[in-house]
Amino acid sequence: MLALAQAALLQTGVPALAEHRIANIFRPLATPADSEYKLALFVLSITGAIFVIVGGLLLYAMIRFRRKPGDDARQEPPQVYGSNQIEVAWTVIPILIVFILLGVTVRMIGAIQDAQPGPSALRATIVGHQWWWEIHYPDLGITTANEFHVPVADASGHATFMKLESMDVIHSFWVPQLSGKTDLIPNRDNALWFDPREPGVYLGNCAEYCGQQHANMLLRVIVHREGDFEKWAAAQSKPAEDDPAVSQGKAMFESLSCVSCHTVRGTSAKGDVGPDLTHLMSRETIGSGVLPNTPKNLRDWVKDPQAIKPGCLMPSMRLNGQELDQVVAYLESLK
Ligand code: CUA
């Protein structure tokens, strides 16, 4: 439902992979999601069969032994009730079923948790914040936010292995078509991996209530086609563009307290409380997925973030129209 709502909300987004938006929880597209989906179907089929058998017997007994005229008057011969065989059967069979379900589940969890990253695996660290996602690639020296770029998994096992951390409260990473939910817990490292089979934009969200804007802590995993991820990574590892045409906006930005929360690599902005803005314009959305990244939306966001995402940690800088235009022009140069 959420994924569908998100898909509808974000129809207005743009770039390259936008034509292939994936938001169907019944179509798992990575090994962990696929194993979990199959387990869910297995459990559903067994419990469904139990429901049909028990319900059927109940219905049969209700109809077969319903009250008939003359029941009270009839003198029944004394009968012996109960059957040891049946009692043993309906005690032992459910116990066996419980152990089968337990065994299959534990085996699947073990298989997913024991998977080891191959030599070509991508490593990433995801840090949950109220209310956005910080994304690091330790081997590539890249930091970004909210839009997690990964390569499609190919025959060489190009899977993505993540370390999950939290800066404040407990969040939960959930991209239904790639894997199950995993919590991001302060002072604890959790792990998660997936191997996306198809390129596209996978929609996800925080799945653990984490405060006022929990529902607006949206996440997108952008799975690149073969070879495209390297191009994206090469562009991201460059320092910020220094466009002389927006030097006034840059000076304005650097004079404000923006720099104590945000980083723009290659400038004096080195904060680590908010998203890294070095390549802000390469992102499809702003505010952790709440708005498409258009010039108008960006201007509205900088003008008064609290009007768009009440409770978020970014304050309004109370800029006048001209100052706002300059700062936004600078931000738009951060390609
Ligand atoms: Cu973060 Cu809910």
Side-chain angles (χ1 to χ4, degrees):
M1 216 18 221
L2 242 181
L4 286 177
Q6 262 193 45
L9 191 75
L10 297 168
Q11 285 297 317
T12 39
V14 245
L17 286 161
E19 75 279 4
H20 195 56
R21 232 171 260 291
I22 298 169
N24 177 358
I25 59 165
F26 296 107
R27 227 182 114 225
L29 285 170
T31 305
D34 196 42
S35 308
E36 285 154 18
Y37 179 66
K38 283 182 182 139
L39 177 69
L41 287 188
F42 177 70
V43 172
L44 192 67
S45 61
I46 289 192
T47 50
I50 294 172
F51 175 79
V52 169
I53 292 169
V54 173
L57 287 174
L58 193 63
L59 211 61
Y60 169 78
M62 283 161 65
I63 293 166
R64 172 77 177 74
F65 299 106
R66 69 185 183 280
R67 174 182 268 269
K68 294 184 207 61
D71 267 2
D72 295 339
R74 205 186 309 144
Q75 287 290 319
E76 298 275 354
Q79 275 187 26
V80 180
Y81 288 98
S83 155
N84 282 340
Q85 283 100 316
I86 290 178
E87 301 240 354
V88 168
W90 71 39
T91 307
V92 172
I93 293 173
I95 292 175
L96 286 179
I97 291 174
V98 167
F99 276 101
I100 290 170
L101 294 183
L102 182 72
V104 174
T105 307
V106 167
R107 217 183 75 164
M108 189 214 69
I109 292 173
I112 292 177
Q113 286 187 345
D114 292 346
Q116 294 299 320
S120 67
L122 174 69
R123 292 198 307 130
T125 302
I126 312 280
V127 187
H129 291 257
Q130 282 174 318
W131 291 278
W132 60 281
W133 307 88
E134 179 180 342
I135 301 162
H136 293 289
Y137 299 84
D139 303 331
L140 306 173
I142 296 172
T143 300
T144 181
N146 306 320
E147 297 178 9
F148 185 22
H149 291 252
V150 302
V152 71
D154 54 20
S156 63
H158 228 121
T160 301
F161 281 73
M162 287 147 275
K163 200 164 92 178
L164 305 179
E165 300 172 359
S166 172
M167 211 54 188
D168 34 50
V169 299
I170 300 178
H171 303 273
S172 177
F173 184 101
W174 191 37
V175 183
Q177 286 183 281
L178 297 177
S179 77
K181 300 167 186 172
T182 305
D183 281 0
L184 301 91
I185 300 171
N187 299 317
R188 187 195 148 96
D189 288 351
N190 274 352
L192 184 70
W193 70 278
F194 47 60
D195 51 350
R197 288 174 198 156
E198 280 182 23
V201 180
Y202 294 66
L203 303 179
N205 41 269
C206 179
E208 175 81 38
Y209 181 72
C210 55
Q212 192 179 356
Q213 291 295 336
H214 155 69
N216 282 330
M217 191 167 162
L218 308 178
L219 173 67
R220 338 177 96 216
V221 177
I222 291 127
V223 178
H224 288 271
R225 293 184 190 89
E226 203 78 62
D228 283 359
F229 175 77
E230 287 70 20
K231 284 180 212 153
W232 175 84
Q236 294 285 315
S237 51
K238 291 190 190 126
E241 200 112 336
D242 198 3
D243 183 352
V246 293
S247 56
Q248 271 182 314
K250 185 183 176 194
M252 171 70 65
F253 177 83
E254 288 185 304
S255 73
L256 294 165
S257 55
C258 308
V259 296
S260 52
C261 290
H262 294 285
T263 290
V264 178
R265 253 184 305 128
T267 74
S268 63
K270 292 187 169 63
D272 59 2
V273 179
D276 186 303
L277 303 178
T278 309
H279 296 286
L280 174 66
M281 298 318 287
S282 70
R283 304 207 273 265
E284 285 185 39
T285 60
I286 51 175
S288 197
V290 295
L291 288 175
N293 189 2
T294 63
K296 183 191 176 297
N297 287 341
L298 189 59
R299 192 177 195 278
D300 290 346
W301 175 260
V302 175
K303 186 176 177 205
D304 188 7
Q306 299 299 322
I308 295 166
K309 203 164 172 176
C312 76
L313 294 183
M314 178 166 157
S316 163
M317 292 294 151
R318 302 182 189 284
L319 303 178
N320 66 34
Q322 193 199 353
E323 293 165 334
L324 201 54
D325 288 338
Q326 288 175 348
V327 169
V328 172
Y330 170 60
L331 294 177
E332 277 173 49
S333 77
L334 301 173
K335 298 276 193 291

